[in-house]
C-alpha cells in the first residue's frame, strides 16, 4: 500500500494514499481498533448536511468566500450521493465527543476539495469546521440522523402495517371467536376487534414518535465548544438551522439553550422510549400471531399465516412462524438498546456528554431494525393472514366462559357452578345448567346467544 505524509498539531503521520482522510482520522483509526462497529452511515450523511449548511451560513454571514463554499458543497454532495463511502473508517468506540469523526468529515472535505481545486485551498479546521466545534456538530448530526430515521424510514413502515391491519379488519368483519386472558378462555370477541387492538397500538406509538420529533428538531450547532458560541458569528445558529431545514425539507430550529444541547441527551432518551414502546407492542402482536397460528393440529390454529421456509432440518413438513420470531428478536434488541441510550445520556458531565457515539449507534440501530422489521413482518406475514373460521367457531362454542352471559339470569355463583360441572363432566353448558335446575332448556336457548356478547 502506498502512503502519503499528513500532519496535524501533533506532528506527521502516514496515511493511505488512496484515502481522503487526514492525520487526526488516521490517529483514531490506529488507536481504537475495537470491535467491528463503525460510526453509522446515517451520521456521516448528517455531517455532510450540516457541513454544507454551515458553509452556506458562513457565506451568507460574510465569513466564507464563494469558491470555498462551492468546493465544500460539492464534496458534501458527493458524500450524500455515496461516492465517498470508503473514507469514513472510524469505530464507535472512540472519543466520547465524536471529535475524531467530526475531523474525519472535515479532512475528507478538505482533501477532496483540494483535489478538485488542484491546490491546497481548503483547511479542515479553518474552513470545513468554520464556526463549529466537534462539541456542537456531533450532537447536531445525532439529531439530524435520528429525526431523519424516524420521519423517512420508521413512520412509513408503521403506516404500511397500519394499512394492512385496516384491510384485515374489513375482511374479517362479523367473525366471532373466543377471547383470551391469562392464556385462558375468556368471553367472545370479534376477530376485527382483536385486530383493531393491534392497529391502535401502532397508531399510539406513531403519535408518540411524532411528539418526540419536536425535541430532535432542535440543533446544538452554534454552541461551539461549551455552549457560549465562541468563534461563531452572531446569528450563525439561527441561520445554519434555517439552511439545514432548507436542505432536508424538515423543520429544524436552533436549540434555545446550547448549554443544555451539548450536555443533555434527554430528547434522544425520550424518542428512544417511543421506539421501545413500539418494540414492546410489536413483541405482543407477533406473539399473538404465532399463538393464534400455532399447530397446525395441536395448537390454537385459529389463523393461517404464510408458509415461507421449511421449519426443520429433521422434521419433514414442519413450518415455523419465522417472521414472528424475527420481530420478537428485534424487540429484545431494541429494549436492550434503550438501556444503553439511557445510561449514555446520564453521563453529561459539566458542559459535554462524552458517550455520544454509543448513544446514537444504539438509537439508529433500533430505528433501523424496527423499520426493516415492520416491513418484513407486513410483507411476509401479516398480508397473508387468513381466519380459520371453522376452528374459531369450534373453539368459541367449546369455551366455558360463554357462561358469563348467564350471570344476569342465574347469578355469578350459579354460573360458576354451571361452568365447573360442564368442565368436570365434559358436557355442554346447556346440559349442565338444565341439570342443575337453573334454567329450562327453552329459557337457556333464549338467553344464551354468544353472538350478542361482543
Amino acid at each position: 500500500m502506498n502512503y502519503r505524509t499528513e500532519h496535524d498539531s501533533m506532528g506527521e503521520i502516514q496515511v493511505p494514499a488512496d484515502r481522503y482522510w487526514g492525520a487526526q482520522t488516521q490517529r483514531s483509526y490506529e488507536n481504537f481498533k475495537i470491535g467491528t462497529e463503525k460510526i453509522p452511515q446515517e451520521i456521516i450523511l448528517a455531517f455532510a448536511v450540516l457541513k454544507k449548511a454551515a458553509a452556506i451560513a458562513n457565506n451568507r454571514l460574510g465569513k466564507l468566500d464563494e469558491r470555498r463554499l462551492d468546493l465544500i458543497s460539492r464534496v458534501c454532495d458527493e458524500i450524500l450521493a455515496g461516492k465517498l463511502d470508503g473514507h469514513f473508517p472510524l469505530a464507535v468506540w472512540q472519543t466520547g465527543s465524536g471529535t475524531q469523526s467530526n475531523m474525519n468529515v472535515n479532512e475528507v472535505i478538505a482533501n477532496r476539495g483540494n483535489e478538485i481545486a488542484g491546490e491546497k485551498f481548503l483547511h479542515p479546521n479553518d474552513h470545513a469546521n468554520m464556526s463549529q466545534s466537534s462539541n456542537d456538530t456531533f450532537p447536531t448530526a445525532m439529531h439530524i440522523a435520528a429525526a431523519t430515521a424516524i420521519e423517512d424510514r420508521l413512520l412509513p413502515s408503521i403506516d404500511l402495517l397500519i394499512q394492512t391491519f385496516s384491510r384485515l379488519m374489513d375482511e374479517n368483519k362479523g367473525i366471532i371467536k373466543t377471547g383470551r386472558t391469562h392464556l385462558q378462555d375468556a368471553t367472545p370477541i370479534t376477530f376485527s376487534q382483536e385486530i383493531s387492538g393491534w392497529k391502535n397500538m401502532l397508531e399510539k406509538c406513531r403519535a408518540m414518535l411524532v411528539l418526540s420529533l419536536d425535541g430532535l428538531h432542535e440543533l446544538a450547532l452554534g454552541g461551539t465548544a461549551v455552549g457560549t458560541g465562541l468563534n461563531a458569528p452572531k446569528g450563525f445558529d439561527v441561520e445554519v438551522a434555517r439552511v439545514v431545514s432548507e436542505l432536508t425539507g424538515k423543520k429544524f430550529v436552533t436549540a434555545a439553550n446550547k448549554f443544555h444541547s451539548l450536555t443533555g441527551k434527554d430528547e434522544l432518551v425520550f424518542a428512544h422510549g417511543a421506539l421501545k414502546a413500539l418494540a414492546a407492542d410489536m413483541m405482543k402482536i407477533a406473539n399473538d400471531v404465532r399463538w393464534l397460528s400455532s399447530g397446525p393440529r395441536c395448537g390454537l390454529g385459529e389463523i393461517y399465516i404464510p408458509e415461507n421456509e421449511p421449519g426443520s432440518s429433521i422434521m419433514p413438513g414442519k413450518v415455523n412462524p419465522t417472521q414472528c420470531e424475527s420481530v420478537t428478536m428485534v424487540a429484545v434488541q431494541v429494549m436492550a438498546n434503550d438501556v444503553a441510550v439511557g445510561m449514555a445520556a446520564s453521563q453529561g458531565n459539566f458542559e459535554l456528554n462524552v458517550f455520544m457515539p454509543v448513544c446514537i449507534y444504539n438509537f439508529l440501530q433500533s430505528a433501523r431494525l424496527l423499520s426493516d422489521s415492520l416491513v418484513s413482518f407486513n410483507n411476509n406475514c401479516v398480508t397473508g393472514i387468513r381466519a380459520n373460521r371453522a376452528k374459531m367457531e369450534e373453539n368459541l362454542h367449546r369455551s366455558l366462559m360463554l357462561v358469563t352471559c348467564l350471570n344476569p339470569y342465574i347469578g355469578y355463583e350459579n354460573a360458576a357452578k354451571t361452568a365447573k360441572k360442564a368442565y368436570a363432566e365434559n358436557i355442554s353448558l346447556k346440559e349442565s345448567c338444565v341439570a342443575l335446575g337453573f334454567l329450562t332448556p327453552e329459557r337457556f336457548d333464549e338467553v344464551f346467544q354468544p353472538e350478542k356478547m361482543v
Side-chain angles (χ1 to χ4, degrees):
M1 180 181 288
N2 294 323
Y3 291 87
R4 70 178 188 277
T5 301
E6 288 274 357
H7 77 278
D8 57 14
S9 60
M10 295 184 70
E12 294 184 342
I13 190 170
Q14 296 297 297
V15 176
D18 62 347
R19 292 292 178 261
Y20 290 122
W21 69 69
Q24 291 196 49
T25 304
Q26 187 66 29
R27 294 188 197 281
S28 180
Y29 184 67
E30 293 180 3
N31 290 338
F32 297 98
K33 294 180 183 284
I34 303 171
T36 59
E37 297 82 8
K38 304 300 181 185
I39 290 294
Q41 178 71 5
E42 297 95 327
I43 287 293
I44 303 303
L45 298 178
F47 261 113
V49 170
L50 76 87
K51 293 294 177 182
K52 182 176 181 177
I56 293 171
N58 279 317
N59 174 262
R60 290 179 181 176
L61 295 171
K63 286 200 66 176
L64 188 70
D65 61 87
E66 290 288 340
R67 187 181 177 203
R68 288 190 172 93
L69 168 61
D70 179 65
L71 288 170
I72 292 172
S73 296
R74 286 179 63 181
V75 178
C76 289
D77 288 342
E78 288 186 355
I79 295 171
L80 290 168
K83 295 180 179 179
L84 302 178
D85 286 353
H87 300 271
F88 305 98
L90 298 187
V92 169
W93 320 109
Q94 54 164 284
T95 175
S97 63
T99 297
Q100 289 134 14
S101 284
N102 178 48
M103 286 308 303
N104 183 188
V105 177
N106 288 334
E107 289 172 345
V108 169
I109 290 172
N111 286 329
R112 172 58 181 148
N114 289 336
E115 181 180 69
I116 294 171
E119 62 175 313
K120 289 279 187 180
F121 192 63
L122 290 179
H123 188 278
N125 297 83
D126 295 337
H127 304 123
N129 203 58
M130 179 182 285
S131 307
Q132 305 154 60
S133 162
S134 299
N135 297 353
D136 66 349
T137 58
F138 202 90
T140 296
M142 291 169 73
H143 275 209
I144 293 173
T148 300
I150 290 173
E151 292 182 75
D152 293 356
R153 292 193 63 184
L154 186 54
L155 294 184
S157 297
I158 294 173
D159 291 340
L160 180 68
L161 192 51
I162 287 174
Q163 290 168 9
T164 299
F165 282 142
S166 293
R167 174 178 62 79
L168 289 175
M169 286 173 61
D170 290 337
E171 291 177 356
N172 292 281
K173 282 181 178 177
I175 300 177
I176 302 173
K177 61 185 293 293
T178 188
R180 294 178 178 88
T181 59
H182 304 270
L183 293 181
Q184 304 295 308
D185 303 339
T187 55
I189 188 172
T190 69
F191 190 30
S192 289
Q193 288 171 333
E194 191 164 44
I195 297 169
S196 76
W198 301 340
K199 176 188 171 187
N200 197 234
M201 286 178 178
L202 298 178
E203 292 168 336
K204 293 283 189 181
C205 288
R206 190 190 195 285
M208 287 186 279
L209 285 164
V210 170
L211 181 63
S212 76
L213 289 172
D214 287 343
L216 296 179
H217 284 154
E218 295 183 8
L219 302 182
L221 208 56
T224 65
V226 294
T228 62
L230 178 68
N231 291 345
K234 184 178 180 180
F236 175 78
D237 56 349
V238 174
E239 185 63 26
V240 77
R242 181 182 297 118
V243 180
V244 171
S245 298
E246 293 170 1
L247 295 176
T248 62
K250 306 185 191 310
K251 297 179 181 179
F252 289 103
V253 297
T254 190
N257 189 310
K258 306 299 189 300
F259 306 104
H260 164 266
S261 58
L262 266 62
T263 194
K265 296 292 161 276
D266 34 31
E267 299 97 339
L268 286 156
V269 173
F270 183 75
H272 199 279
L275 295 180
K276 182 174 70 171
L278 177 59
D281 282 343
M282 288 307 301
M283 174 75 84
K284 180 265 191 297
I285 293 169
N287 278 336
D288 281 358
V289 169
R290 62 176 166 184
W291 270 110
L292 290 172
S293 65
S294 61
R297 291 187 174 176
C298 299
L300 297 180
E302 291 191 346
I303 64 172
Y304 301 107
I305 61 175
E307 298 182 351
N308 296 325
E309 313 95 14
S312 172
S313 61
I314 188 173
M315 292 176 280
K318 194 173 193 295
V319 179
N320 297 328
T322 52
Q323 287 294 320
C324 298
E325 292 164 6
S326 176
V327 167
T328 53
M329 285 192 290
V330 164
V332 167
Q333 185 64 58
V334 173
M335 293 176 193
N337 286 351
D338 193 67
V339 176
V341 170
M343 292 199 63
S346 72
Q347 301 303 308
N349 298 322
F350 302 112
E351 277 64 61
L352 185 68
N353 180 285
V354 290
F355 283 67
M356 288 193 285
V358 69
C359 181
I360 195 60
Y361 175 82
N362 282 279
F363 186 101
L364 292 173
Q365 185 191 54
S366 293
R368 194 184 312 119
L369 287 175
L370 285 168
S371 300
D372 292 346
S373 176
L374 264 65
V375 172
S376 180
F377 186 51
N378 179 81
N379 294 347
N380 298 305
C381 182
V382 179
T383 56
I385 288 177
R386 291 182 297 114
N388 184 342
R389 296 188 179 216
K391 187 66 172 177
M392 286 183 178
E393 185 174 358
E394 176 191 346
N395 287 344
L396 173 65
H397 288 282
R398 290 179 63 203
S399 172
L400 296 175
M401 289 306 100
L402 296 178
V403 77
T404 306
C405 71
L406 300 180
N407 286 2
Y409 306 100
I410 64 175
Y412 179 92
E413 291 192 12
N414 287 340
K417 291 175 183 178
T418 298
K420 290 179 179 180
K421 179 179 177 66
Y423 179 66
E425 299 179 14
N426 195 26
I427 59 177
S428 70
L429 288 172
K430 180 177 181 178
E431 291 171 319
S432 177
C433 186
V434 171
L436 289 169
F438 297 143
L439 292 173
T440 65
E442 294 75 20
R443 182 58 174 160
F444 182 93
D445 290 340
E446 183 181 333
V447 301
F448 186 81
Q449 299 183 46
E451 299 78 14
K452 294 184 177 180
M453 295 177 68
V454 297

